[in-house]
Amino acid sequence: MQTSQNPKCLAVSMDCTISQCSKSSNITPLTTFSGTVAIIVSSSGTQFSFQAQNEQFFTLDSSPAIDYVAYDSPPALSVSSNKSPFSPQCSQSYMTGNTCDSPFSGCSVVDDGDLRHVLRELENKLLGPESDTDDSSNCSFNDVVSNPSSLTGWNRVLDVAPTLNLKELLDVCAEAVSDADISTAEVLMNVLEQRVSVSGEPMERLGAYVLEGLRARVLSSGSIIYKKLKCKEPTSSELMSYMQVISNLCPYYKFASMSANVVIREAMMNENRIHIIDFQIAQGSQWMFLFHDLARRPGGPPFVRITGVDDSQSAYARGGGLQLVGEMLAEVAESCGVPFEFHGAALSGCEVQLENLRVRHGEALAVNFPFMLHHMPDESVSTINHRDRLLRLVKSLSPKIVTLVEQESNTNTAPFLPRFRETLDYYTAMFESIDAARPRDDKQRISTEEHCVARDVVNIIACEGADRVERHELLGKWRLRLMMAGFTPCPLSPSVGETIKDMLLEYSPNYRFAESEGALYLGWKNRALATSSAWR
C-alpha cells in the first residue's frame, strides 16, 4: 500500500466438517457473516477452519492470538473499479514451514525440513551435483559463463527452466541469495529475466519487481533503488494520478476509510465537540464523507477539529503542503454546515510529540491509524522503539476511540528467506486482484504498479535495518502491542460489517471478508490482505 501505507497455509485438515470437529472438547464454533469458523486449540497454537456451502475460503495467520481465520464470500457480482495497494494470502505459510502456492493453485503443507529438502532438490535439478560440491564459488555471472564446468550447469538451467514454475524459480533464487551463493543466484536471475514481464500474468508482473529486489540485495543497493523509486519520477501530479488509479482498482483503501468512519461516527454519536487525529491524512478525502454523515445527525452536526499528521511523501504526492488539505476540507465542511477547524502537523510519526497534537479539554478524541503504524521502527530497529512509543503517547491522551487498519502480513522481524516467501504470497494475491479490474496491457495499470507497489516489494526484499521501512505485522501482534500500551479492544458493531459488505458488491466476488474476535478481515480468495479493528 503506498503513500498512506504502502497468513499462513491451512495446516488443519480442510476435510474436517464443523460437525466432525465439534466432537473435540478443544473446539469452539464461531459464527461469521454467513459461515462458521471452528477454533481448534492445540499445542501448536489456535487454529481456525471454515465450512460454508461446501466451500472453504481463506485462511490467515493472526498469531499469536489467532493462527488461522477463514473467510466468507460476499454475493457474486461484477467487477467494478475502486481501490488500492497495500502494500495486503494464503500466507504465512513459510513462517511456519508450510508451503503455499498462489491462491490460483491452492496450498500444500510441508514442514521446515521437507521444504529445505525440496528446495535443495530443485537447486540440484537446476545446477547439477557440482552445485553442492563447490561451496567456495563466489564469482560473478561473467565468471560462470567463462568457466566450462559452470557453463554446463548454466546449460542445464536453460534446459530445465521452462518446465519449472515461476514461483519455484524465484524461491530457489532467493534461497541462493540467502545462502550468499552469488554464482547460483546470478545464473537463476538471468533465467528469471526471460520469464518475467511487467505486462504479463500476475506472477510474471510481480516476478519482475521481485527480481529487481533480489538484484538490489545482491548488489547491496536496495536502499538506493528504493529511494530512487520513491523520489525521482513520477511528478507529484502523476503520482496522484497513479494512486487514484490503484485506489479505483481495489477496495483496500476504501475498506480502511469506510470502516474507520463508521466506527468514529458511532463512537461520537452523542458528542458535540470532536477532535480527530489522522496519522496519515494524505489527501484528507476520507473525512469529506464523514462530514456528510455528521451533517444529517439529529439535533445538528457537532463541531469538528482535525489534526492531520503528514510526511514528505504525502506532501510530494499532493503537490503541496497540508494547507491544501485544510482548505479542501474547510470548503466541504462549510457546504455541509459542519463547524470545522484544521491543524496540520507536517511530521513523520517518529517525530510526533504531545505538543504537536494540540489536544484540548472538552473535546472527544478519535485517533486514526490507516496503514501507517507499520512504517514506524520498533525495538528490532531502534532502542527508542517509536512504534510502541507512539501507541503509549496516544493512550495518554485518553482517546474515546482509536481505529487501526493494517496489512495482514508478517515482514517486520522475519529473517530474509521467510520474509521473501511471505512477500511473494502476499503480493501475488494483490497482483491477482489488480489483474481482475484492468487489462494486462493497460499502460496506466503498468505505471501504477511500478510507482505504487514495486517500491514496497523492493524495500521488503532488498533492504535491512533502518532502510527497511515496510515492516508489517499480523493483527495478533498489533493486538499485543496495543494491550501492552494500555488499550482494550472495542468490538465492531454489525453496521461496520454491513457497510463493507455493501461496498464489496461493486467488486469481484473473489474479494472476501469476515469478522473474528471483534475485528474485520478483507482479502482476495485464499489470502487475507488487511484488517480493521477499534480500540479505546
Side-chain angles (χ1 to χ4, degrees):
M1 302 169 188
Q2 262 310 307
T3 62
S4 63
Q5 12 187 126
N6 92 312
K8 184 170 204 166
C9 274
L10 189 60
V12 295
S13 171
M14 291 304 292
D15 296 328
C16 177
T17 65
I18 295 301
S19 59
Q20 290 170 333
C21 290
S22 297
K23 296 178 182 179
S24 168
S25 60
N26 291 329
I27 302 174
T28 304
L30 176 65
T31 300
T32 62
F33 292 112
S34 61
T36 303
V37 179
I39 307 175
I40 306 175
V41 181
S42 66
S43 59
S44 60
T46 304
Q47 301 175 358
F48 288 67
S49 147
F50 183 69
Q51 178 92 13
Q53 300 175 345
N54 298 320
E55 182 178 4
Q56 281 94 13
F57 295 122
F58 40 116
T59 64
L60 59 101
D61 185 0
S62 296
S63 66
I66 301 176
D67 274 346
Y68 303 89
V69 174
Y71 285 77
D72 183 28
S73 172
L77 290 179
S78 61
V79 178
S80 168
S81 61
N82 196 316
K83 203 132 188 129
S84 124
F86 256 72
S87 242
Q89 70 173 314
C90 184
S91 88
Q92 250 352 83
S93 53
Y94 297 100
M95 306 305 292
T96 58
N98 301 327
T99 62
C100 181
D101 212 324
S102 153
F104 280 0
S105 53
C107 295
S108 61
V109 179
V110 183
D111 63 29
D112 283 331
D114 289 341
L115 177 61
R116 174 68 64 167
H117 177 68
V118 168
L119 291 173
R120 184 55 60 191
E121 281 190 342
L122 278 171
E123 191 170 339
N124 288 339
K125 186 177 181 182
L126 283 169
L127 300 177
E130 54 265 55
S131 66
D132 283 333
T133 58
D134 186 11
D135 293 333
S136 62
S137 175
N138 192 30
C139 57
S140 69
F141 176 65
N142 290 333
D143 295 329
V144 174
V145 173
S146 63
N147 185 307
S149 62
S150 296
L151 184 59
T152 301
W154 164 246
N155 288 334
R156 287 190 186 128
V157 168
L158 292 178
D159 290 340
V160 176
T163 68
L164 295 178
N165 182 289
L166 177 56
K167 187 174 183 180
E168 293 173 339
L169 279 175
L170 288 166
D171 193 88
V172 174
C173 185
E175 188 182 56
V177 171
S178 178
D179 292 341
D181 186 352
I182 305 305
S183 59
T184 300
E186 289 179 334
V187 169
L188 290 168
M189 287 179 191
N190 280 275
V191 176
L192 286 165
E193 189 69 44
Q194 309 305 313
R195 298 281 297 272
V196 300
S197 169
V198 296
S199 60
E201 297 180 353
M203 181 56 74
E204 293 172 340
R205 303 200 310 270
L206 174 59
Y209 304 124
V210 169
L211 178 58
E212 187 72 18
L214 289 171
R215 289 193 189 281
R217 186 177 184 87
V218 168
L219 297 172
S220 299
S221 60
S223 179
I224 297 173
I225 290 178
Y226 174 72
K227 290 175 181 177
K228 288 178 69 177
L229 284 169
K230 179 178 179 180
C231 298
K232 65 167 191 182
E233 297 183 59
T235 64
S236 60
S237 60
E238 288 174 333
L239 181 55
M240 266 311 307
S241 174
Y242 296 143
M243 291 170 61
Q244 187 60 48
V245 169
I246 202 161
S247 178
N248 289 333
L249 290 177
C250 313
Y252 308 120
Y253 283 141
K254 184 176 267 190
F255 170 74
S257 62
M258 293 182 71
S259 61
N261 277 4
V262 175
V263 170
I264 292 172
R265 185 188 69 218
E266 292 182 345
M268 301 298 179
M269 188 176 301
N270 299 314
E271 300 294 340
N272 294 321
R273 298 185 67 84
I274 300 172
H275 181 195
I276 299 171
I277 300 176
D278 188 347
F279 273 96
Q280 188 68 64
I281 196 163
Q283 310 308 310
S285 56
Q286 170 177 348
W287 308 116
M288 295 190 301
F289 299 100
L290 182 64
F291 289 159
H292 286 284
D293 289 338
L294 294 176
R296 296 191 294 266
R297 200 168 80 170
F303 169 82
V304 178
R305 188 162 64 93
I306 293 180
T307 295
V309 180
D310 196 30
D311 58 27
S312 58
Q313 186 181 350
S314 291
Y316 171 75
R318 191 168 46 242
L322 280 168
Q323 74 278 2
L324 296 178
V325 177
E327 291 168 2
M328 181 272 293
L329 289 177
E331 291 179 5
V332 176
E334 183 178 8
S335 69
C336 295
V338 176
F340 175 71
E341 180 182 322
F342 181 80
H343 166 57
L347 303 163
S348 73
C350 295
E351 299 171 307
V352 170
Q353 301 294 332
L354 176 61
E355 57 269 21
N356 304 127
L357 303 177
R358 298 191 183 180
V359 176
R360 298 173 186 168
H361 292 295
E363 294 180 342
L365 179 63
V367 178
N368 186 44
F369 287 115
F371 302 127
M372 173 269 175
L373 276 178
H374 73 271
H375 286 149
M376 300 288 289
D378 70 347
E379 68 277 5
S380 68
V381 181
S382 167
T383 55
I384 301 177
N385 188 359
H386 288 290
R387 188 170 297 198
D388 290 342
R389 179 193 69 81
L390 186 59
L391 288 175
R392 291 193 298 269
L393 173 60
V394 169
K395 180 59 181 176
S396 72
L397 305 178
S398 300
K400 186 161 188 179
I401 196 70
V402 173
T403 54
L404 172 69
V405 182
E406 276 292 346
Q407 291 95 314
E408 182 69 359
S409 185
N410 191 354
T411 62
N412 182 22
T413 58
F416 167 69
L417 195 56
R419 185 171 80 239
F420 174 89
R421 290 163 175 163
E422 168 76 346
T423 301
L424 196 59
D425 275 343
Y426 185 89
Y427 284 96
T428 295
M430 179 179 287
F431 273 71
E432 287 173 355
S433 69
I434 296 173
D435 197 59
R438 200 56 87 88
R440 289 179 182 170
D441 61 351
D442 187 282
K443 289 182 170 51
Q444 194 175 39
R445 179 199 55 73
I446 294 171
S447 296
T448 296
E449 288 177 343
E450 176 185 356
H451 294 295
C452 294
V453 184
R455 57 182 294 272
D456 288 1
V457 174
V458 170
N459 184 252
I460 295 171
I461 293 174
C463 298
E464 296 293 349
D467 288 330
R468 182 157 61 85
V469 298
E470 299 297 327
R471 293 178 168 273
H472 309 107
E473 292 186 316
L474 301 171
L475 179 57
K477 185 60 181 291
W478 289 119
R479 182 179 286 114
L480 289 178
R481 287 190 187 277
L482 285 154
M483 293 178 71
M484 286 190 296
F487 290 96
T488 57
C490 180
L492 303 181
S493 72
S495 60
V496 183
E498 289 301 319
T499 298
I500 300 303
K501 185 176 181 179
D502 290 342
M503 179 266 289
L504 288 178
L505 293 177
E506 304 175 13
Y507 297 89
S508 166
N510 287 319
Y511 285 105
R512 312 284 166 77
F513 83 106
E515 185 273 344
S516 179
E517 295 195 355
L520 279 184
Y521 292 79
L522 174 70
W524 173 262
K525 291 186 177 180
N526 286 339
R527 174 75 209 211
L529 299 180
T531 62
S532 178
S533 58
W535 303 82
R536 56 188 167 208

